[in-house]
Amino acid sequence: MNVLLLGASGRIGQRTATELLDRGHAVTGVSRSGTVDGIDDDDFVAVAGDATDPDDIAKLATGHDAVASALGPSDDESPEILTEMMDAVIDGLRRANVDRLVWTGGAGGLEVGPETMLIETEEFPEEWEPVASAAIDAYDILSEADDLQWTYLAPAALIEPGERTGEYRTADRELVTDDEGDSYISMEDFAVALADELEAGNAVHTYLGTGY
């Protein structure tokens, strides 16, 4: 596939680019600066783009088979920029006639019990609530885009740099936990899950949780 990767310069974005390239896909990596460090591959092109501008997204997405997003707010941005990005990406993809989108979402909206989301639990860190709430708002926007073949892929409660094992589990709208009740995934294995879903398309129109 020829994949447009938004947020390619971030930690998840870089690992996703590497995973896709290792599988033989061509990747156009989008960042604000137009530079993506640590990737040297003939099938990779780094370009500058504004993920809040639907015109920019439409131009960048044209000619690609699918779009993957590892977008997130920078330290100096309001979390609400996530909804602005979602609106722009959906609009841009429609203009470009590209209908496949896998979006890296948040775990806060995943269910941990009957009608209880992770963000609603006492254990959820207060400092994470603004970003988690914005991510849920972004999902609500995406869930209305029935004309796109979208997947909202959420990591586990804890995602960190680590080992690529190629192993992970998924659950529809549920937080994935291990036998001890811990919810964790490495960024490397999350990139595997993202690439798998982009290729297979088994969870279209799904808020999918990942973890071990």
Side-chain angles (χ1 to χ4, degrees):
M1 288 187 293
N2 190 5
V3 180
L4 182 72
L5 175 60
L6 304 173
S9 62
R11 295 190 297 173
I12 293 175
Q14 289 179 6
R15 288 164 172 81
T16 299
T18 298
E19 182 68 29
L20 290 169
L21 291 165
D22 286 347
R23 298 182 185 209
H25 302 297
V27 178
T28 303
V30 183
S31 66
R32 292 179 180 88
S33 65
T35 59
V36 178
D37 296 331
I39 299 177
D40 183 14
D41 192 295
D42 290 341
D43 289 325
F44 181 79
V45 177
V47 298
D50 181 357
T52 66
D53 185 344
D55 291 333
D56 219 5
I57 295 296
K59 292 176 184 177
L60 291 167
T62 298
H64 289 82
D65 300 308
V67 174
S69 167
L71 292 168
S74 62
D75 292 339
D76 60 348
E77 290 176 327
S78 169
E80 281 70 30
I81 198 172
L82 282 171
T83 57
E84 189 177 352
M85 289 174 173
M86 184 65 83
D87 280 329
V89 171
I90 290 172
D91 190 358
L93 264 61
R94 286 169 172 159
R95 297 187 200 181
N97 292 317
V98 176
D99 67 359
R100 183 64 177 127
L101 171 65
V102 178
W103 185 282
T104 298
L110 293 172
E111 294 179 353
V112 297
E115 299 183 0
T116 303
M117 295 186 294
L118 178 62
I119 192 175
E120 297 170 332
T121 63
E122 293 182 0
E123 296 81 12
F124 195 82
E126 185 176 350
E127 63 269 24
W128 293 0
E129 289 181 3
V131 173
S133 295
I136 292 170
D137 290 342
Y139 166 74
D140 288 341
I141 294 170
L142 182 62
S143 67
E144 299 296 323
D146 294 336
D147 55 322
L148 299 182
Q149 300 299 300
W150 58 263
T151 302
Y152 189 87
L153 190 69
L158 180 62
I159 179 170
E160 294 180 326
E163 180 184 358
R164 184 196 184 281
T165 69
E167 301 292 331
Y168 64 91
R169 294 182 297 123
T170 62
D172 186 353
R173 198 64 194 254
E174 294 181 1
L175 185 73
V176 177
T177 60
D178 62 18
D179 293 340
E180 285 73 44
D182 295 323
S183 180
Y184 169 75
I185 193 168
S186 71
M187 291 181 178
E188 287 76 6
D189 280 337
F190 182 79
V192 173
L194 195 156
D196 284 349
E197 178 53 36
L198 198 62
E199 291 175 341
N202 291 327
V204 170
H205 296 169
T206 302
Y207 187 162
L208 196 66
T210 61
Y212 294 127

